[in-house]
């Protein structure tokens, strides 16, 4: 019997429901994929790939292949069992059609419940389908090949049988809808690093990414037999620091209901990297597994140090920060019905995980230390030196408090403050260089915009401990201007400006200063980022003008669009000026393009922008915020005429 014959009258009713569901996704895409910017676009790929990974977790898929084709079309292939094509009883249509057209159907149809994902993920293939200009699915199963095409979520025709095959697997090809997304160009690096991470988390799984756009053929293949051990090695190899324990310390505990794995390697850096996952979903906000790990680690270090007389003073203890200095660690747990909590639903809530990880790490790490005393000594020495530095930082902090009290006005000289004291409306622009600082000062609205100009060499806090930050001549003005203090002293209620905006050139130097400042905020003022106070100004790259018309373009694509649009209106050969730096703009221009809340674009910095790559700070995925974004959406990517 062919599939078409099976279609019953139920089909029409269910189809109406289906379309209403997918219409809801198209109306409020942000609700389903977080944003319609670059981050949301890439999320589409993860949603599809997650399905293949689930099949791999179930033990039926060994290879996943992701291609980026011309026109930013994505093709994902796996060699799993293939999505079921049989008629789903309730709706009277093939299961594969259900997967792509019914909200929340992803992975659940079989009822075997191996799909353990949750949180932000697993919103499903139907969401991707709804947000794609078109999507095609091909299933190889039981010797037959099936195919179906959809456009903006609507099926073009029922599922079709195309002939025979000797393979099994699923192939999904789709093009993100440019009516929905502001950005439709994929970043190869972003997808590559995400897929690499998937490969680390699924030991032995082969994942290939292949960028075939514009005649290219960039291909990378990931397959890590070592799993999270290889992940930790990779993270440490990326840094310039030497490792302290040559071989990654690895523990695994397998229970009936759950599994916990931890991989640990120390390096000579002052930072810590802890990446934690529950059911392969990154738990950026931590949670019970991470808490269990941290408590156990601190206890092992203190118990061992006490036992072998490495700490002599009776009242001294190693703190959590001490024992984590230089730590690179990946924690991965698998459990049924993971509960994801927290602001971004990336905090594991299951209480049993705390004691499971705690017990495993305490017992196995203590045993490891006892059996490997020289490694234990080297690692604990690192904590002891961190402890000494902590004392030095405390003295520096006390000194800086005294200094702050003794100077009548503790605001830095280079701060041009604003009039308002209401953090609901105040903003501070941190600007590199005196000339840009001058323009910003001249262009700002002094009622609520403050300017802090920085100059000279910036301290790289990645390579410095806290005591070095106090008294640093470039960072002190920032700390004083914001008013919050740093580290243990940090107090968000003292924040003097609601928005902290970094304004730097769009060149290498600008990117350097952005990274250094963000690293500083991340390490010493983290709640500032967590609570969404930090932004990056986006100055235009081009000025396009002819007669009394002036346009600003913020990307090459926008520049080309403006030129094309002008040509349509008969305006040919406009002049194009490429801005080399903020300093080239006069105060008026800087206000119009970069500082006026009615017209500017900014990127909001989020925690995800940091952890995704571990050490280095990536701001690639920052989604743009601001009125211009809506304007662009409404006007089909046409940029505003600022000359009105
Ligand atoms: C589910 O249980 C019965 C046998 O097939 C299982 C299944 O659906 N496997 C599966 C789904 N493998 N791969 C997918 C899949 C792959 C892509 C690229 C996209 C989607 C939506 C699913």
């Amino acid at each position: 019997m062919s599939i078409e014959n099976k279609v019953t009258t139920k089909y029409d009713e269910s189809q109406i429901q289906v379309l209403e569901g997918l219409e809801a996704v198209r109306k409020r895409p942000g609700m389903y994929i977080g944003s319609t910017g670059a981050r949301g676009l890439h999320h589409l790929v993860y949603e599809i790939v997650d399905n293949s990974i689930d099949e791999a977790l179930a033990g039926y898929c060994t290879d996943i292949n992701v291609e980026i084709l011309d026109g930013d079309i994505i093709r994902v292939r796996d060699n799993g069992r293939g999505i079921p094509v049989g008629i789903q009883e309730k709706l009277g249509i093939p299961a594969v059609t259900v997967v792509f057209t019914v909200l929340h159907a992803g992975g659940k149809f079989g009822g075997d419940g191996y799909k353990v994902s949750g949180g932000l993920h697993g919103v499903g293939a139907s969401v991707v389908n709804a947000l794609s200009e078109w999507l095609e699915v091909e299933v190889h199963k039981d010797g037959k090949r099936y195919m179906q095409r959809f456009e903006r979520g609507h099926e073009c025709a029922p599922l079709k049988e195309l002939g025979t095959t000797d393979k099994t697997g699923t192939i999904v090809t789709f093009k993100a809808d440019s009516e929905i997304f502001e950005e439709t160009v994929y970043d190869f690096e972003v997808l590559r690093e995400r897929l690499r991470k998937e490969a680390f988390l699924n030991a032995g799984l082969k994942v290939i990414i292949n960028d075939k756009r514009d005649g290219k053929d960039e291909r990378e293949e990931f397959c890590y037999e070592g799993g999270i051990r290889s992940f930790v090695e990779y993270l440490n190899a990326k840094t310039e620091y030497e490792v302290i324990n040559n071989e990654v310390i690895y523990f695994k505990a397998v229970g009936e209901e759950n599994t916990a794995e931890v991989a640990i390697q120390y390096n000579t850096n002052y930072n810590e990297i802890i990446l934690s996952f529950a059911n392969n979903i990154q738990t950026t906000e931590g949670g019970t597994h991470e808490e269990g790990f941290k408590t156990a680690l601190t206890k092992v270090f203190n118990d061992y140090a006490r036992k072998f007389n490495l700490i002599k003073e009776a009242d001294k203890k190693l703190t959590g920060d001490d024992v984590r200095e230089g730590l690179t660690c990946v924690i991965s747990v698998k459990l049924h019905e993971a509960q994801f909590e927290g602001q971004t639903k990336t905090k594991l809530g299951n209480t049993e995980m705390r004691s499971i990880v705690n017990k495993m790490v305490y017992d196995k790490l203590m045993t490891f230390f006892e059996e490997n005393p020289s490694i234990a000594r080297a690692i604990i020495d690192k904590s002891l030196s961190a402890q000494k530095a902590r004392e030095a930082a405390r003295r520096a902090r006390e000194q800086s408090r005294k200094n702050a009290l003794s100077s009548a006005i503790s605001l830095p000289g280079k701060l041009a403050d604003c009039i308002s004291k209401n953090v609901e409306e105040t903003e501070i622009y941190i600007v590199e260089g005196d000339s840009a600082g001058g323009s910003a000062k001249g262009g700002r609205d002094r009622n609520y915009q403050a300017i802090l100009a920085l100059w000279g060499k910036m301290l790289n806090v990645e390579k410095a401990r806290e005591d070095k930050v106090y008294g640093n001549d470039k960072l002190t003005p920032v700390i004083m201007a914001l008013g919050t203090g740093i580290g243990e002293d940090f107090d968000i209620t003292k924040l003097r400006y609601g928005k902290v905006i970094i304004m730097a050139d769009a060149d290498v130097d600008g990117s350097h200063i952005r990274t250094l400042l963000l690293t500083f905020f991340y390490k010493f003022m983290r709640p500032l980022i967590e609570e969404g106070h930090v932004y990056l100004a986006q100055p235009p790259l081009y000025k396009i003008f002819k007669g009394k018309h002036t346009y600003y373009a913020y990307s090459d694509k926008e520049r080309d669009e403006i030129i094309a649009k002008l040509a349509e209106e008969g305006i040919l050969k406009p002049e194009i000026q490429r801005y080399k730096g903020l300093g080239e703009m006069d105060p008026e221009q800087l206000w119009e393009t970069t500082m006026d809340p009615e017209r500017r674009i900014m990127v909001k910095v989020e925690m995800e922008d940091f952890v995704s790559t571990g050490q280095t700070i990536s701001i690639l995925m920052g989604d743009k915020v601001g009125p211009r974004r809506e304007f662009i959406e409404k006007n089909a990517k046409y940029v505003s005429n600022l000359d009105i």
Side-chain angles (χ1 to χ4, degrees):
M1 191 183 315
S2 88
I3 282 148
E4 285 85 340
N5 290 344
K6 269 273 199 176
V7 172
T8 66
T9 49
K10 271 192 209 161
Y11 183 79
D12 292 332
E13 292 158 38
S14 55
Q15 212 35 25
I16 289 165
Q17 280 176 15
V18 161
L19 294 179
E20 280 172 355
L22 295 194
E23 252 346 285
V25 177
R26 289 180 62 83
K27 268 208 192 94
R28 312 193 62 188
M31 292 260 297
Y32 298 87
I33 49 157
S35 86
T36 51
R39 202 191 298 263
L41 177 78
H42 291 75
H43 199 98
L44 298 181
V45 183
Y46 312 152
E47 279 300 333
I48 294 300
V49 170
D50 274 357
N51 293 280
S52 300
I53 300 225
D54 280 341
E55 184 72 349
L57 277 172
Y60 297 98
C61 162
T62 59
D63 291 54
I64 300 173
N65 187 303
V66 178
E67 286 168 302
I68 319 173
L69 307 173
D70 272 330
D72 284 276
I73 291 161
I74 296 286
R75 173 168 293 155
V76 181
R77 276 184 282 160
D78 72 35
N79 64 347
R81 289 167 290 178
I83 308 177
V85 293
I87 299 297
Q88 209 247 17
E89 241 178 74
K90 222 170 89 201
L91 296 172
I93 53 176
V96 58
T97 310
V98 176
V99 168
F100 283 96
T101 56
V102 178
L103 226 44
H104 292 120
K108 297 269 196 249
F109 40 85
D112 52 0
Y114 69 72
K115 186 167 175 117
V116 277
S117 56
L120 282 175
H121 301 266
V123 297
S126 61
V127 169
V128 178
N129 192 22
L131 302 178
S132 294
E133 197 182 302
W134 57 264
L135 179 147
E136 286 173 2
V137 56
E138 190 179 324
V139 174
H140 291 241
K141 202 177 174 66
D142 304 325
K144 295 193 181 100
R145 203 158 75 87
Y146 304 85
M147 160 88 115
Q148 189 166 28
R149 181 181 165 95
F150 307 86
E151 287 175 8
R152 302 201 158 95
H154 301 248
E155 59 171 82
C156 299
L159 183 71
K160 224 193 193 134
E161 206 184 294
L162 285 183
T164 60
T165 177
D166 54 3
K167 296 194 192 75
T168 69
T170 306
I171 306 167
V172 171
T173 314
F174 68 93
K175 184 174 167 65
D177 193 345
S178 58
E179 284 179 8
I180 303 274
F181 292 92
E182 291 119 71
E183 184 64 65
T184 51
V185 180
Y186 293 95
D187 187 315
F188 177 69
E189 240 179 89
V190 168
L191 292 180
R192 183 189 67 196
E193 291 313 304
R194 167 72 183 225
L195 293 175
R196 188 200 302 276
K197 198 158 81 181
E198 298 290 0
F200 282 131
L201 291 169
N202 297 280
L205 176 66
K206 190 159 124 192
V207 184
I208 294 170
I209 178 150
N210 199 342
D211 188 353
K212 292 185 163 167
R213 289 173 295 186
D214 308 318
K216 280 191 300 258
D217 189 11
E218 253 178 276
R219 185 179 182 282
E220 281 218 49
E221 184 175 321
F222 305 119
C223 183
Y224 302 102
E225 294 300 338
I228 65 168
R229 267 164 292 200
S230 312
F231 199 166
V232 165
E233 270 166 18
Y234 170 78
L235 290 169
N236 276 336
K238 273 208 307 190
T239 76
E240 58 198 277
Y241 299 94
E242 276 173 41
V243 295
I244 294 176
N245 54 310
N246 278 318
E247 204 163 310
V248 175
I249 303 168
Y250 172 80
F251 307 129
K252 182 172 187 173
V254 182
E256 270 175 35
E257 297 281 298
N258 40 48
T259 316
E261 275 179 286
V262 173
I264 298 168
Q265 190 176 41
Y266 278 84
N267 64 44
T268 56
N269 193 358
Y270 301 134
N271 291 330
E272 64 179 70
I273 306 172
I274 299 181
L275 301 183
S276 66
F277 300 85
N279 295 340
N280 286 2
I281 293 161
Q282 186 158 2
T283 36
T284 320
E285 296 170 283
T288 51
H289 52 344
E290 215 174 293
E291 288 158 16
F293 169 79
K294 288 180 179 174
T295 317
L297 191 75
T298 309
K299 192 160 162 45
V300 169
F301 276 56
N302 277 296
D303 289 357
Y304 186 93
R306 192 63 67 194
K307 185 169 169 187
F308 294 96
N309 223 15
L310 304 176
I311 304 177
K312 288 168 194 82
E313 303 85 342
D315 58 332
K316 271 216 176 126
K317 272 192 130 183
L318 295 168
T319 65
D321 284 336
D322 295 338
V323 306
R324 293 194 300 272
E325 190 183 279
L327 169 70
T328 301
C329 163
V330 173
I331 305 166
S332 172
V333 299
K334 305 238 166 76
L335 68 168
H336 290 293
E337 316 223 4
Q339 286 153 24
F340 292 96
E341 302 169 348
Q343 272 195 340
T344 57
K345 294 267 172 282
T346 56
K347 182 175 183 182
L348 186 66
N350 304 59
T351 50
E352 73 274 14
M353 244 31 250
R354 185 182 289 112
S355 50
I356 290 168
V357 177
N358 187 290
K359 187 171 172 7
M360 171 181 85
V361 173
Y362 187 83
D363 293 349
K364 297 198 175 185
L365 187 59
M366 191 51 112
T367 308
F368 178 86
F369 275 1
E370 280 170 353
E371 288 170 359
N372 300 275
S374 63
I375 298 173
R377 252 327 270 263
I379 292 174
I380 290 180
D381 272 351
K382 170 82 170 150
S383 312
L384 292 168
S385 100
Q387 186 196 38
K388 281 206 195 83
R390 180 164 49 85
E391 309 256 296
R394 186 178 48 78
R395 286 192 294 274
R397 197 182 311 129
E398 273 160 16
Q399 192 55 46
S400 102
R401 270 191 215 135
K402 277 185 204 141
N403 294 350
L405 287 176
S406 62
S407 59
I409 308 159
S410 45
L411 287 181
K414 278 284 177 179
L415 176 73
D417 210 353
C418 55
I419 294 163
S420 171
K421 296 280 170 269
N422 176 9
V423 291
E424 296 284 317
E425 59 175 8
T426 55
E427 309 176 339
I428 183 168
Y429 277 83
I430 302 177
V431 189
E432 161 78 359
D434 276 343
S435 76
S439 285
K441 221 169 132 177
R444 67 171 173 156
D445 182 335
R446 61 180 303 144
N447 286 310
Y448 62 93
Q449 291 179 321
I451 310 294
L452 178 65
L454 300 180
W455 67 101
K457 198 169 147 40
M458 180 93 191
L459 178 74
N460 185 354
V461 295
E462 196 85 68
K463 295 181 185 166
R465 280 176 171 143
E466 188 174 334
D467 55 320
K468 291 286 180 297
V469 171
Y470 293 102
N472 176 269
D473 59 352
K474 193 139 173 177
L475 290 173
T476 304
V478 178
I479 301 168
M480 304 248 265
L482 297 191
T484 54
I486 62 168
E488 276 175 36
D489 276 358
F490 184 87
D491 181 356
I492 194 99
T493 65
K494 299 222 175 88
L495 183 62
R496 300 180 63 247
Y497 310 94
K499 290 196 175 77
V500 177
I501 305 163
I502 302 172
M503 186 156 71
D505 290 336
D507 59 12
V508 180
D509 288 346
S511 147
H512 191 57
I513 187 100
R514 258 192 305 276
T515 304
L516 292 176
L517 269 171
L518 286 176
T519 310
F520 170 65
F521 290 145
Y522 182 73
K523 278 194 73 178
F524 295 103
M525 299 185 169
R526 191 164 299 176
L528 210 59
I529 295 163
E530 286 171 335
E531 294 178 28
H533 293 287
V534 182
Y535 295 82
L536 303 173
Q538 301 285 290
L541 293 178
Y542 300 98
K543 177 179 167 180
I544 299 155
F545 54 104
K546 172 114 188 201
K548 61 181 172 56
H549 296 280
T550 304
Y551 301 85
Y552 295 99
Y554 294 78
S555 65
D556 289 4
K557 191 172 163 225
E558 233 172 40
R559 175 201 59 196
D560 297 343
E561 280 164 0
I562 292 167
I563 295 169
K565 187 79 185 172
L566 287 172
E568 266 175 45
E569 288 168 18
I571 305 169
L572 296 164
K573 301 211 178 75
E575 284 194 63
I576 298 161
Q577 179 192 350
R578 186 181 169 103
Y579 286 119
K580 285 187 209 75
L582 292 162
E584 279 180 33
M585 266 181 256
D586 60 33
E588 185 73 1
Q589 285 175 325
L590 198 57
W591 165 255
E592 283 182 348
T593 59
T594 318
M595 298 177 72
D596 178 2
E598 299 293 323
R599 287 178 282 189
R600 72 185 174 198
I601 315 181
M602 299 200 296
V603 166
K604 188 172 184 168
V605 179
E606 291 179 71
M607 284 299 285
E608 280 180 57
D609 300 328
F610 293 82
V611 281
S612 58
T613 43
Q615 287 261 323
T616 47
I617 289 177
S618 136
I619 47 169
L620 290 167
M621 286 294 93
D623 277 316
K624 289 181 176 131
V625 290
R628 183 177 298 275
R629 171 175 168 176
E630 286 135 48
F631 193 87
I632 291 169
E633 279 168 8
K634 282 198 210 94
N635 295 277
K637 310 240 166 202
Y638 189 46
V639 194
S640 64
N641 180 353
L642 297 170
D643 196 9
I644 345 167

